[in-house]
Amino acid sequence: MKIKAAFIAVSAAALLAACNAPANNNDAPAAPAAAAAAGPVELKAPAGVYALDPTHAILQTSVLHNSISNYTVRFNKIDSKVTLDPANLENSTVEFTVDPTSVDANFPGDYAGTHANSGFRNWNEDIANNPAHLNARQFGQVTFKSTKVTKTGDRTADVTGDLTFLGVTKPVTFKATFNGEIESHPFLQVPAIGFAAEGTFKRTDFGMALGYVGDEVTVRFDGEFIRQSDAAPATAAQ
């Protein structure tokens, strides 16, 4: 994290200055004071319900492929809601829904030539609907609903909740980072906030076979949320 890295850098600089200082401090020029560490960042966004702006959001998952690379896909249809309590962050909640049929693998290969008997038209359909993969025909949504929010720093929190995937529900923790806030969105004229989150889970915990890809799935999210009011839609124009 940037805050932790900055703290380590300042501490290391101070330590090196102390080790290299001349023994006779009266004859030595005064060393410049180390820059003061940044103070706590207050969460000034007003309490309320914030809806995801889908035009400014990305959700990606990656998994080890053939033990040599991280195979990454994104999902183009996601929805999320944050109920924010800035005075007591632990009272905040997060809900997330993913449409597995919106998976985008950016597959440039000859799918028809290499998967002639799959029954699917392309690799996206295969990943989405194949019972060995996301099995979207039977399980049309992947959902996450938080059960606990724990503040871990001025801009960070652990968000633990129930992940429901392939009909199985398991607890998963995501590490969230508060990216920033604006008092008035330039197009919607309401408060807006931004968050990033990352976490992992095991495919086998949800009943998937290992095959030629690894067990651990890494999830990465980044997006903007718009405070809901009667006067503003949830989606920004730009």
Side-chain angles (χ1 to χ4, degrees), residues 8 22 47 49 51 77 80 88 92 96 101 115 132 218:
I8 293 173
V49 176
K77 292 183 180 179
S80 181
N88 189 350
S92 301
F96 216 100
T101 65
H115 300 75
T218 299

Side-chain angles (χ1 to χ4, degrees), residues 179-198:
N179 288 334
E181 61 190 326
I182 50 177
E183 182 178 351
S184 180
H185 191 281
F187 301 106
L188 303 177
Q189 286 75 53
V190 294
I193 56 178
F195 287 95
E198 183 170 333

Side-chain angles (χ1 to χ4, degrees), residues 28-100:
V41 178
E42 294 184 11
L43 191 62
K44 298 179 180 178
V49 176
Y50 289 75
L52 179 67
D53 175 2
T55 62
H56 297 93
I58 185 169
L59 177 68
Q60 294 180 313
T61 64
S62 60
V63 64
L64 188 63
H65 180 261
N66 286 334
S67 300
I68 57 175
S69 69
N70 290 311
Y71 187 73
T72 301
V73 301
R74 66 176 290 172
F75 293 87
N76 294 321
K77 292 183 180 179
I78 56 179
D79 191 22
S80 181
K81 179 177 70 174
V82 173
T83 303
L84 181 67
D85 182 353
N88 189 350
L89 195 62
E90 286 74 13
N91 290 335
S92 301
T93 60
V94 179
E95 297 180 23
F96 216 100
T97 302
V98 181
D99 180 352

Side-chain angles (χ1 to χ4, degrees), residues 92-219:
S92 301
T93 60
V94 179
E95 297 180 23
F96 216 100
T97 302
V98 181
D99 180 352
T101 65
S102 71
V103 65
D104 184 353
N106 189 31
F107 181 77
D110 180 13
Y111 178 86
T114 56
H115 300 75
N117 299 318
S118 73
F120 303 106
R121 295 176 299 177
N122 52 59
W123 188 227
N124 287 348
E125 283 191 6
D126 194 330
I127 295 176
N129 297 309
N130 194 322
H133 300 306
L134 300 181
N135 200 8
R137 290 174 179 168
Q138 183 174 353
F139 305 103
Q141 285 186 334
V142 179
T143 63
F144 174 82
K145 188 172 184 179
S146 69
T147 56
K148 183 180 181 181
V149 176
T150 305
K151 187 176 180 181
T152 57
D154 294 326
R155 287 180 175 266
T156 59
D158 284 349
V159 181
T160 300
D162 293 327
L163 176 65
T164 300
F165 174 47
L166 298 176
V168 178
T169 301
K170 295 282 187 179
V172 175
T173 297
F174 293 95
K175 294 189 176 298
T177 300
F178 175 68
N179 288 334
E181 61 190 326
I182 50 177
E183 182 178 351
S184 180
H185 191 281
F187 301 106
L188 303 177
Q189 286 75 53
V190 294
I193 56 178
F195 287 95
E198 183 170 333
T200 61
F201 66 88
K202 292 185 180 299
R203 296 191 306 116
T204 52
D205 286 346
F206 295 85
M208 297 186 77
L210 288 179
Y212 51 86
V213 295
D215 195 9
E216 186 171 274
V217 179
T218 299
V219 181

Side-chain angles (χ1 to χ4, degrees), residues 6-40:
F7 177 78
I8 293 173
V10 170
S11 299
L15 180 60
L16 286 173
C19 292
N20 294 330
N24 188 346
N25 291 330
N26 292 329
D27 297 333

